[in-house]
Amino acid sequence: MERLLDFFKPYNYQLFLDVDKHRKMLHGRVIILGHTKRDIVKLHAKNMIIEKVMINGKEDDYIYKDNTITVETKVDEDLEITVHYRTALKDNMEGAYLSTYNYGDGEERIVATQFEPHYASACFPCVDEPSAKATFELIISVPDKDDTVLSNMPVKKTKQFTSEDVVKYTTFFEKTPIMSTYLLAFVIGRFHHQTTKNSHGVKITTYCPLNHDPKILKYANAVAAGSLDYYDDVFGVPYPLKKLDQVAIPDFEAGAMENWGLVTYRESCLLVDKNSSLDAKKSVAVTIAHELSHQWFGNLVTMKWWNDLWLNESFASVMEYHAVDMMFPKYHIWEDFFTGDCLAALRRDALDGVQAVKQEVRDPEEISILFDGAIVYAKGAHLLLMLIRMMGEKKFFASMKKYFKTHRYGNTTSDDLWAALQHNAKFDVKKLMNSWILQSGFPVIKGEEQQKFSLSGKTSEETWVLPEIKDDMSGHYIINYSDEEFAEKLAKFNKLSLEQRLRLLVDRSMLAKTSHVSSASLIPLLSKFENEKSASVWEVMAAIIGDLKIFFEPGSEEEEKFKKFVKNLIASKVKQLGVVPKSVESSDNIKTRSVLLSLAIYARDKDILEQMANLYQEDFSLINPEIRTQVICANLIVHEELINDYILKYQTTSKPEAKADLLFAMAQVKEPKNVEKLITLLERPEIVKPQDRLHLFTYLRRNAKSKHAVLDWVFEHWDYLSETSGDQSADDFPRYAANTIIDQAESDKFFNFFMEKVDKPAIAHTIKIAKGEIESRLALISADKKAILDVLI
């Protein structure tokens, strides 16, 4: 794969941008100072109109082909390259793009950027590679005096210019530290904001669109201040910038982006208020802590190439929990890590063909494949937790201080990290960790033996360097106890630590997906925990119930028997806790009730549904936030005739939590005309934004009344989805569709369609994994269905 850094090394970019959000245009001029390595210079420049290229102040010939500018020059000389160009502001949430929302009687427009992994070159010509670090001097002109213009660095000065009777308002920013192109950012628009400072004097300002109350920014500021303080301490290198801005963007493909000094977020990942649920507050805290960890892991020290993306994401995905646990110990946030990240990583990593944590990249289109939340984020974080516990936190963070001081403002590989950690480890760090990050999958441990665990049942000679095998949640493996050992553990379940209890259930649930353990054994196992007190255990139980749904034909007598089983399982605990939250109760009870009520919705428990529907209020702020999701959903299940009211509420509310609750509820509809109405929303971006389409699609796939029709819609509208989705999201549709295929006919239809799309590396990767996943699921249904039905009789 060609690297443009092999031709030219940039040192500094002077970037002049004239941005007009009304005309959806960006006119730019970039001056790049650097040094040539060959007799030609190549620059990435995606979907631009190139007007002029100058070398050392003189106009020069150039070739613009395949999104690359090529200019002839001399080897080994300092060079000034100037490019004049223009490009459109699109709405695909990549590069410099347009985000819109309704406010008052009109539409508000925001210009935002998303440059990771290689979309800086969609905004300005550059060497768009992580090792091509340089400094940036940014000047932005806009036509609107009222717009706030933000970038990575503080504002140096502002000026008003008039040219040909056109007034432009220009903002000059201070020079950035040396950094990668994907971390440059700017935001233009009208916002509310609140400002605070952390204990080390960094100015922290959080911004939201005008259709939100600025009071909701207080929590985000507090979490940001606490996170920076914590990281300053444990990393030993203070946050190096004067300010940190956080901005909520109405249209945002990912959850957030760690641009140095200007972190951008999806609204739901930044904005919470007094009426927000505990889950929402925890989610926002974890997201902010994740992005601010990147100010060190990724920004201060950056991977040399995308194959080491895990150095950014795995670290941020484990540090977020350390930081939140320090700030909010009552959140018991590590329990969410165990039942969320760890379980997700095991489930994904059990599939044949899934990438390793560290994965080579041979084609630019393969870069998007790397951003697999269950692997590079969750599995990598789980492996780092294992390493931290082996070394001890004190020694681990002492090593990290050395790592940051040695490599700040530079680029590193995995080996640089292993070398830093080895100073404080009594084992071979590189040998241990490379055996886990360089190969996919994980072992199942039985006695003294290990074997690669696979849902397909395929055997493998792969092995791992094993740490001391413990029955807590630190290891990325599963333990296969003998029947006698399992019965012994189960007999003293209440005496086990929480992590031991979770490990026992998580491992059993994974083994039941294969021939190791019968799925039918999970039914009596679940029955033993009807009085369980731990919310985390109930979350794993709910996951097991979700796994068992594949064995029951929707609407069948067998499914009704299973739903009755679920009703009976939760009955005593619901009676104990009550449907309505108490004025004062533990976070464990809050979370447990939420899980139980969600199970009641699945089981269509009529009494509980009616109790929840009776709690519904038109003003959502009057519904207790800890059960609001379930109440809004239950009300529509009981009164499906309200679907149009729900759609209108969804379209008009600005509150991220309310939108999420309504979208989930609407996807539960059963009437054919309402199913059709919901599916058509997938192509109505004025109602369901492109960033939320995948959520709606996933919810509709889980609904037996809509699952086939919505997949047919994807087949019929694939070109539309590909054109209007970002590179990192189009392949998510077949991925999540594959998760819910449980019959051969739909499997055949799925592969007949997508096998014609495998010319794109991301789609080819998704379909390769889906093939093994679906085959394994269908084989499991065939093998275990009769035994499960026999247990339920």
Side-chain angles (χ1 to χ4, degrees):
M1 179 176 171
E2 185 176 65
R3 309 274 182 91
L4 301 198
L5 186 57
D6 293 336
F7 295 84
F8 178 67
K9 166 62 179 173
Y11 299 137
N12 173 261
Y13 291 83
Q14 298 170 41
L15 188 55
F16 307 82
L17 301 178
D18 185 347
V19 184
D20 191 327
K21 65 185 184 183
H22 307 290
R23 297 173 58 212
K24 300 183 180 180
M25 286 298 299
L26 182 153
H27 287 76
R29 173 167 57 96
V30 61
I31 301 173
I32 311 172
L33 305 179
H35 191 82
T36 62
K37 297 181 179 181
R38 299 187 186 177
D39 59 0
I40 59 172
V41 169
K42 293 188 175 185
L43 300 174
H44 297 104
K46 188 175 182 181
N47 299 327
M48 295 179 179
I49 296 173
I50 307 300
E51 297 173 340
K52 181 167 59 176
V53 175
M54 303 174 70
I55 302 294
N56 294 331
K58 295 182 179 179
E59 191 166 349
D60 208 328
D61 294 332
Y62 65 91
I63 297 172
Y64 181 49
K65 183 180 180 182
D66 298 330
N67 291 322
T68 304
I69 299 171
T70 304
V71 183
E72 292 185 359
T73 184
K74 295 179 181 179
V75 179
D76 194 25
E77 69 173 5
D78 291 329
L79 205 65
E80 178 187 283
I81 305 174
T82 303
V83 183
H84 296 251
Y85 65 96
R86 66 182 186 272
T87 188
L89 295 173
K90 298 183 179 179
D91 55 6
N92 63 351
M93 297 174 284
E94 294 172 353
Y97 69 91
L98 200 65
S99 175
T100 63
Y101 65 97
N102 294 325
Y103 179 66
D105 295 327
E107 179 187 75
E108 280 289 324
R109 294 186 171 188
I110 294 171
V111 179
T113 59
Q114 174 60 42
F115 289 167
E116 188 183 32
H118 49 68
Y119 305 124
S121 55
C123 180
F124 63 99
C126 57
V127 179
D128 204 2
E129 299 168 1
S131 286
K133 286 193 168 185
T135 56
F136 297 83
E137 298 172 76
L138 184 59
I139 300 171
I140 298 178
S141 292
V142 298
D144 299 294
K145 183 178 181 180
D146 293 338
D147 273 347
T148 296
V149 182
L150 304 170
S151 187
N152 307 74
M153 302 301 290
V155 173
K156 183 163 58 176
K157 63 180 179 180
T158 57
K159 281 190 176 182
Q160 178 179 322
F161 295 95
T162 302
S163 176
E164 298 179 356
D165 297 325
V166 176
V167 179
K168 293 292 178 74
Y169 303 91
T170 304
T171 304
F172 299 74
F173 294 94
E174 295 180 10
K175 183 191 292 188
T176 72
I178 185 171
M179 66 184 198
S180 302
T181 48
Y182 78 88
L183 295 170
L184 188 69
F186 58 86
V187 175
I188 302 166
R190 298 199 299 160
F191 300 96
H192 295 307
H193 70 276
Q194 280 199 6
T195 298
T196 189
K197 286 187 177 181
N198 77 334
S199 63
H200 298 152
V202 176
K203 181 182 177 183
I204 299 167
T205 307
T206 303
Y207 297 81
C208 67
L210 298 178
N211 59 346
H212 294 284
D213 185 339
K215 292 178 182 177
I216 66 175
L217 302 174
K218 184 177 180 181
Y219 182 79
N221 270 348
V223 174
S227 297
L228 289 185
D229 287 344
Y230 175 72
Y231 295 140
D232 279 351
D233 181 43
V234 297
F235 297 153
V237 175
Y239 176 75
L241 306 184
K242 298 175 185 177
K243 62 92 174 175
L244 170 71
D245 292 335
Q246 303 186 109
V247 188
I249 308 293
D251 299 273
F252 202 85
E253 184 176 23
M257 177 60 207
E258 66 268 19
N259 316 297
W260 214 353
L262 177 60
V263 185
T264 46
Y265 297 82
R266 185 181 283 232
E267 290 179 322
S268 60
C269 293
L270 187 67
L271 306 178
V272 291
D273 60 20
K274 63 181 181 180
N275 291 316
S276 296
S277 66
L278 177 62
D279 273 350
K281 292 173 183 174
K282 289 196 292 184
S283 176
V284 165
V286 164
T287 303
I288 292 172
H290 179 103
E291 301 308 323
L292 299 196
S293 172
H294 275 311
Q295 307 303 297
W296 286 262
F297 289 106
N299 300 9
L300 184 65
V301 181
T302 313
M303 74 269 159
K304 282 187 177 179
W305 185 241
W306 295 106
N307 61 324
D308 269 316
L309 175 66
W310 80 275
L311 287 172
N312 289 12
E313 299 301 349
S314 299
F315 267 98
S317 296
V318 74
M319 289 310 305
E320 65 192 48
Y321 288 96
H322 281 276
V324 173
D325 189 49
M326 180 278 299
M327 290 184 283
F328 306 103
K330 291 183 179 179
Y331 282 1
H332 302 293
I333 201 69
W334 282 108
E335 294 181 26
D336 292 356
F337 179 72
F338 299 140
T339 60
D341 294 46
C342 294
L343 183 55
L346 288 169
R347 291 179 168 215
R348 180 72 170 164
D349 209 22
L351 300 173
D352 295 333
V354 168
Q355 70 193 59
V357 171
K358 179 173 178 175
Q359 185 74 31
E360 292 303 317
V361 177
R362 296 172 295 275
D363 185 289
E365 289 195 20
E366 292 181 350
I367 294 174
S368 65
I369 298 171
L370 298 176
F371 291 82
D372 188 324
I375 301 299
V376 172
Y377 293 71
K379 177 183 176 180
H382 199 185
L383 296 178
L384 287 172
L385 177 66
M386 178 179 75
L387 179 61
I388 292 168
R389 288 186 172 182
M390 290 176 68
M391 291 183 64
E393 286 192 14
K394 185 175 180 181
K395 289 183 178 180
F396 177 82
F397 286 119
S399 295
M400 294 316 303
K401 289 177 180 178
K402 179 179 177 63
Y403 175 79
F404 284 120
K405 288 176 181 176
T406 301
H407 299 290
R408 53 186 160 187
Y409 301 108
N411 295 85
T412 61
T413 66
S414 303
D415 285 346
D416 296 311
L417 176 64
W418 305 149
L421 292 169
Q422 192 60 59
H423 288 285
N424 289 298
K426 295 181 179 180
F427 54 91
D428 190 328
V429 175
K430 180 177 179 179
K431 182 179 180 181
L432 171 80
M433 295 303 292
N434 276 352
S435 80
W436 291 90
I437 71 165
L438 296 180
Q439 62 182 345
S440 62
F442 57 88
V444 53
I445 311 296
K446 189 166 187 178
E448 300 296 321
E449 298 179 353
Q450 61 165 299
Q451 181 182 6
K452 183 174 182 178
F453 182 84
S454 172
L455 295 185
S456 68
K458 294 178 182 178
T459 58
S460 169
E461 298 300 318
E462 292 172 278
T463 59
W464 287 259
V465 178
L466 295 178
E468 178 187 353
I469 300 300
K470 296 182 178 180
D471 62 351
D472 60 12
M473 287 298 294
S474 57
H476 186 69
Y477 47 74
I478 59 177
I479 303 171
N480 186 8
Y481 291 112
S482 66
D483 290 343
E484 294 77 14
E485 290 171 325
F486 185 74
E488 184 181 340
K489 289 271 187 182
L490 209 55
K492 58 178 182 180
F493 190 80
N494 290 330
K495 295 181 181 179
L496 300 177
S497 71
L498 177 60
E499 286 192 42
Q500 289 175 314
R501 289 148 65 196
L502 294 175
R503 165 64 69 188
L504 198 66
L505 288 177
V506 165
D507 290 0
R508 201 68 173 181
S509 72
M510 293 298 298
L511 290 166
K513 293 175 180 286
T514 68
S515 59
H516 287 290
V517 171
S518 171
S519 300
S521 68
L522 297 176
I523 301 288
L525 178 62
L526 288 170
S527 297
K528 294 179 182 295
F529 303 112
E530 61 181 358
N531 295 312
E532 174 60 42
K533 296 179 180 179
S534 167
S536 296
V537 172
W538 271 105
E539 286 190 312
V540 176
M541 291 168 63
I544 293 173
I545 289 169
D547 291 340
L548 291 171
K549 293 176 186 178
I550 66 172
F551 295 101
F552 308 103
E553 188 72 27
S556 66
E557 182 181 346
E558 289 84 3
E559 186 191 43
E560 287 306 310
K561 288 180 180 179
F562 183 59
K563 288 183 175 181
K564 183 178 179 181
F565 166 78
V566 174
K567 291 177 192 177
N568 292 336
L569 181 68
I570 66 175
S572 64
K573 198 66 183 177
V574 172
K575 184 177 181 180
Q576 177 192 336
L577 293 178
V579 170
V580 180
K582 313 293 189 296
S583 57
V584 177
E585 62 182 344
S586 67
S587 61
D588 219 40
N589 282 351
I590 290 172
K591 189 160 69 170
T592 300
R593 180 184 293 103
S594 178
V595 174
L596 295 172
L597 296 183
S598 295
L599 289 173
I601 287 173
Y602 161 70
R604 292 300 190 264
D605 188 307
K606 186 176 180 180
D607 290 341
I608 297 176
L609 284 173
E610 289 182 352
Q611 285 185 65
M612 288 193 286
N614 289 335
L615 296 171
Y616 181 80
Q617 300 281 342
E618 288 293 326
D619 182 351
F620 287 176
S621 68
L622 300 177
I623 306 173
N624 189 294
E626 307 304 343
I627 59 170
R628 184 166 49 217
T629 301
Q630 293 82 4
V631 166
I632 291 172
C633 185
N635 187 62
L636 189 60
I637 290 172
V638 175
H639 303 289
E640 190 169 325
E641 68 276 8
L642 296 176
I643 183 61
N644 290 334
D645 293 341
Y646 270 52
I647 293 173
L648 181 60
K649 278 182 175 293
Y650 179 85
Q651 189 173 5
T652 55
T653 185
S654 63
K655 294 183 179 296
E657 274 188 272
K659 276 190 174 295
D661 292 342
L662 286 162
L663 197 66
F664 176 76
M666 292 188 301
Q668 310 301 313
V669 295
K670 301 297 183 185
E671 293 294 328
K673 63 179 182 179
N674 292 334
V675 167
E676 183 179 357
K677 191 174 296 183
L678 264 293
I679 291 175
T680 61
L681 295 183
L682 290 167
E683 53 185 317
R684 295 193 62 186
E686 76 279 9
I687 298 178
V688 177
K689 286 179 173 288
Q691 66 174 13
D692 297 318
R693 271 196 311 231
L694 183 63
H695 290 118
L696 178 56
F697 169 75
T698 303
Y699 298 151
L700 289 169
R701 279 292 294 170
R702 294 174 187 169
N703 181 346
K705 298 295 185 181
S706 57
K707 66 174 297 186
H708 297 301
V710 77
L711 185 57
D712 287 341
W713 181 90
V714 168
F715 296 155
E716 294 164 7
H717 295 79
W718 181 251
D719 290 342
Y720 167 75
L721 278 177
S722 299
E723 291 168 6
T724 57
S725 299
D727 287 350
Q728 295 177 42
S729 63
D731 60 306
D732 281 336
F733 285 91
R735 172 176 171 173
Y736 287 102
N739 288 347
T740 48
I741 290 175
I742 58 173
D743 65 76
Q744 190 63 54
E746 189 171 54
S747 174
D748 293 342
K749 195 173 184 180
F750 175 86
F751 287 112
N752 286 341
F753 180 82
F754 281 111
M755 286 304 293
E756 296 181 358
K757 313 295 179 186
V758 295
D759 55 314
K760 291 183 70 66
I763 297 296
H765 176 75
T766 297
I767 299 308
K768 178 183 176 182
I769 295 171
K771 190 174 189 303
E773 176 187 7
I774 294 169
E775 287 176 354
S776 298
R777 186 181 303 118
L778 296 182
L780 181 65
I781 293 171
S782 176
D784 285 5
K785 184 170 184 175
K786 183 179 183 304
I788 285 183
L789 298 182
D790 289 344
V791 170
L792 284 174
I793 292 175

